[in-house]
Amino acid sequence: MTFLDTLRQWDDAVTCVDKKNLPEALRIFLAIEEPNSKIYFNIGCLHLLNKDFDAAEKAFDGSIRKDEHLAVAFFQRGITFYKKERQDKQQAEKLHGNQLIDYKALGLRYKLFACEVLHNMALVEAHLGNWKNAQENLQKALDCKTESKLNLIDKAFRSILKQKLFKLVEFPSSELFRPNKHYVAELEKKDYLGKAKVVASVVPQDQFSGFAPLQPQVIFSNLPVILFSCYRKALEGKAHIVLFELFPETSDELAVVPGNIVFVLQKGADNWATVIFNGRKGLVPYNYLQPLDFSPTSKRPEVKFFRQHIKRPILHYFMISVLMFPHHKQTTHNTCVIKIHFTFTFAISLPLGSSYEVLIDKIGKKLKLEATSLILSLTREETGESVINAKTDMKSVWNRAKDGRLTMWCKVYEPQEPQISFIALHTYESSNPEDLSFQEGDKILLLSRINQDWLEGQCGEKTGIFPASFVEELPVNGQ
């Protein structure tokens, strides 16, 4: 079976799913001779809807064999195992440390969150009676949760503390991997010749019968600018030039370098802009961008360049008009543009030689935070030499600037809460694997308060729960 045949059947099957004709969709998928990992995944999802768990497990195994990094296949296989009352511990391992994986670029409208995977693993542990392991998984889920998943994890955590089961997070039944829409479009037959048209000559005293002869070309001095303007309007965005290089940290962000021209479609309140670059749509910090003016009256070097090359053929005009020129407004010798990595990245400009107070005050106003609560550093990791404060020699800081550019890191100072410790009043011998054993006089570090009667703590290298009546709280920094 050729790739085009596979693509055509894949598209037909997904169309059947959209029409709620699931049996026909499954029949078409099963007829594909050499399914890829995405098609195997789709087959598994349809079997799961039919509650044919053995067939679903086999299909998800096939998907994983084809692509061992497809985390969502492990997630679905885990759900299948749960419904078959089995356990699959490989789900979280395949997230590669990511808080979420967005499969939109691969043809699946779904985001797999690490906190949801850990939530389901905690549910499996709870079913097996391993309440401590379930609580540990939910604690990890809390550490990597997003705001949209906060209620889900909190409800599960409350259920665990009461040793009650909670609801499984399931994959949406209507979502499947879809074939690349550009490939599908190529399946349609195209008429490259088009329909013939008869064009009569309307040129006065024309001796040529049939078609009009070539006429002298009229050259417009601002033609490249007009073409560029048309290209820009087609994208429905405003042209901006990129000032700083961006390394994407999520699938929604775009990789750009200084000099790239992007088209801003929307600017969000969080300082991120939705842009189009090279046919791709994504997010870029708006502070990384500078608006461009391509009006016919513009004095920018790009427009002057177009007019100097006005004698070139019209096709070349269009090619020139869409080039990404690396020209942008340069900073003056007395000004420095500072790129600052916070929870997001932004940029400010200051005169070279500014004092620490001026620098930290401007950053504080930008973040709408108290300047005294901020810590500045010249490196990602805070070390004695890299931290910038009121005692720092600012001359050495500004000497690090290259071509009027400087990078810094910023974070909010968070004073550490004092650790709470207890002294054991009595010896406690654990009766359950989850309990913490200790001897009278042992010092115990508090990890969490489960309820009024039970605490979770650490004694030496051992951790577990213990009754609050067996211990007494020590004063802060008490020995």
Side-chain angles (χ1 to χ4, degrees):
M1 179 178 289
T2 65
F3 171 73
L4 289 179
D5 292 332
T6 300
L7 193 66
R8 187 173 287 107
Q9 287 183 262
W10 186 358
D11 185 52
D12 290 343
V14 171
T15 302
C16 288
V17 172
D18 292 338
K19 295 179 179 178
K20 309 299 182 184
N21 190 355
L22 303 185
E24 179 63 15
L26 183 58
R27 185 195 65 79
I28 296 173
F29 274 133
L30 292 174
I32 297 176
E33 294 178 3
E34 296 182 6
N36 58 29
S37 61
K38 299 175 184 178
I39 293 175
Y40 266 127
F41 178 87
N42 291 349
I43 293 171
C45 290
L46 293 176
H47 281 312
L48 203 55
L49 282 175
N50 294 334
K51 298 184 179 180
D52 188 349
F53 301 133
D54 290 334
E57 179 186 345
K58 183 178 178 181
F60 291 130
D61 283 341
S63 179
I64 292 167
R65 281 197 306 272
K66 292 284 186 176
D67 184 359
E68 62 180 9
H69 300 293
L70 193 65
V72 72
F74 285 90
F75 182 67
Q76 278 290 71
R77 190 178 69 173
I79 292 175
T80 305
F81 283 4
Y82 174 82
K83 294 185 176 182
K84 294 177 65 178
E85 299 184 354
R86 290 174 57 191
Q87 193 174 9
D88 186 2
K89 293 186 176 181
Q90 291 183 282
Q91 301 178 62
E93 298 173 4
K94 297 302 175 181
L95 285 164
H96 313 295
N98 298 309
Q99 288 194 0
L100 68 90
I101 300 177
D102 190 349
Y103 287 94
K104 184 177 180 181
L106 298 179
L108 179 67
R109 294 190 293 264
Y110 182 70
K111 292 180 181 180
L112 178 62
F113 291 86
C115 60
E116 291 182 332
V117 175
L118 292 164
H119 172 282
N120 283 0
M121 293 179 68
L123 180 57
V124 173
E125 296 287 3
H127 262 287
L128 297 174
N130 300 328
W131 297 102
K132 182 180 179 181
N133 293 342
Q135 185 174 342
E136 289 176 354
N137 279 321
L138 281 181
Q139 186 60 54
K140 293 177 183 177
L142 281 173
D143 294 339
C144 62
K145 69 181 184 301
T146 60
E147 288 297 326
S148 61
K149 305 298 178 183
L150 179 60
N151 290 337
L152 172 75
I153 305 301
D154 283 349
K155 287 180 181 179
F157 208 94
R158 288 195 294 270
S159 297
I160 284 292
L161 293 179
K162 298 175 184 177
Q163 294 196 354
K164 292 183 178 180
L165 299 178
F166 43 92
K167 190 176 179 181
L168 178 75
V169 175
E170 296 195 56
F171 184 85
S173 59
S174 60
E175 296 299 337
L176 296 177
F177 277 107
R178 297 172 180 270
N180 188 302
K181 61 182 180 181
H182 299 297
Y183 292 160
V184 173
E186 294 298 323
L187 296 176
E188 300 177 4
K189 293 182 178 180
K190 296 182 179 180
D191 182 6
Y192 291 96
L193 295 178
K195 296 182 180 180
K197 292 183 180 180
V198 177
V199 181
S201 174
V202 293
V203 180
Q205 300 177 347
D206 184 18
Q207 301 301 318
F208 182 84
S209 61
F211 298 97
L214 293 175
Q215 302 297 312
Q217 295 185 10
V218 179
I219 304 299
F220 298 94
S221 61
N222 62 343
L223 180 58
V225 182
I226 295 172
L227 288 172
F228 192 97
S229 177
C230 294
Y231 180 76
R232 181 188 63 188
K233 289 180 180 178
L235 293 171
E236 299 180 354
K238 185 176 180 181
H240 287 64
I241 195 161
V242 178
L243 301 180
F244 306 105
E245 186 171 4
L246 175 64
F247 297 97
E249 296 181 359
T250 69
S251 58
D252 294 330
E253 298 175 18
L254 282 182
V256 290
V257 296
N260 289 155
I261 290 181
V262 301
F263 295 86
V264 175
L265 303 181
Q266 183 180 6
K267 179 186 175 185
D270 58 354
N271 199 48
W272 286 80
T274 302
V275 306
I276 285 184
F277 173 63
N278 279 354
R280 293 180 293 116
K281 186 176 179 182
L283 297 174
V284 173
Y286 192 74
N287 300 92
Y288 279 39
L289 309 177
Q290 177 179 306
L292 287 178
D293 177 19
F294 280 96
S295 64
T297 59
S298 173
K299 296 181 180 180
R300 293 192 56 81
E302 293 89 342
V303 178
K304 291 181 179 179
F305 179 85
F306 293 151
R307 290 171 180 160
Q308 290 172 359
H309 295 76
I310 199 64
K311 295 182 181 181
R312 297 191 178 187
I314 187 169
L315 180 60
H316 201 64
Y317 285 151
F318 184 76
M319 294 174 64
I320 293 174
S321 68
V322 297
L323 286 175
M324 303 307 177
F325 288 90
H327 303 289
H328 56 84
K329 186 177 180 180
Q330 300 293 327
T331 57
T332 65
H333 295 296
N334 297 324
T335 304
C336 181
V337 176
I338 308 166
K339 179 169 66 172
I340 301 173
H341 296 286
F342 189 57
T343 54
F344 58 92
T345 304
F346 61 96
I348 62 172
S349 61
L350 279 176
L352 283 169
S354 296
S355 66
Y356 169 76
E357 288 74 17
V358 172
L359 170 64
I360 197 69
D361 183 61
K362 185 158 188 176
I363 295 173
K365 289 179 179 179
K366 186 77 173 179
L367 298 175
K368 297 180 180 179
L369 295 171
E370 291 292 336
T372 53
S373 67
L374 301 176
I375 300 175
L376 284 183
S377 175
L378 291 169
T379 58
R380 187 184 303 272
E381 300 297 331
E382 297 169 30
T383 61
E385 297 180 354
S386 69
V387 174
I388 306 172
N389 53 39
K391 298 180 180 179
T392 302
D393 178 12
M394 293 302 294
K395 184 177 180 180
S396 64
V397 174
W398 296 119
N399 286 341
R400 289 173 171 262
K402 294 183 179 180
D403 300 324
R405 300 283 189 270
L406 187 61
T407 301
M408 296 182 183
W409 280 259
C410 178
K411 64 180 290 187
V412 177
Y413 172 70
E414 297 178 354
Q416 294 184 347
E417 296 183 1
Q419 292 183 330
I420 299 175
S421 300
F422 295 88
I423 189 74
L425 300 176
H426 313 284
T427 298
Y428 179 68
E429 296 293 340
S430 63
S431 56
N432 296 308
E434 295 84 6
D435 291 358
L436 176 66
S437 299
F438 50 79
Q439 302 294 320
E440 180 181 350
D442 284 349
K443 184 179 177 181
I444 304 167
L445 178 66
L446 177 67
L447 299 180
S448 65
R449 296 182 186 271
I450 297 176
N451 53 40
Q452 186 176 358
D453 300 321
W454 288 87
L455 307 173
E456 182 183 13
Q458 179 178 351
C459 182
E461 296 182 354
K462 299 181 296 182
T463 61
I465 61 175
F466 57 92
S469 59
F470 277 64
V471 297
E472 181 181 47
E473 185 172 339
L474 291 170
V476 177
N477 297 325
Q479 299 296 326

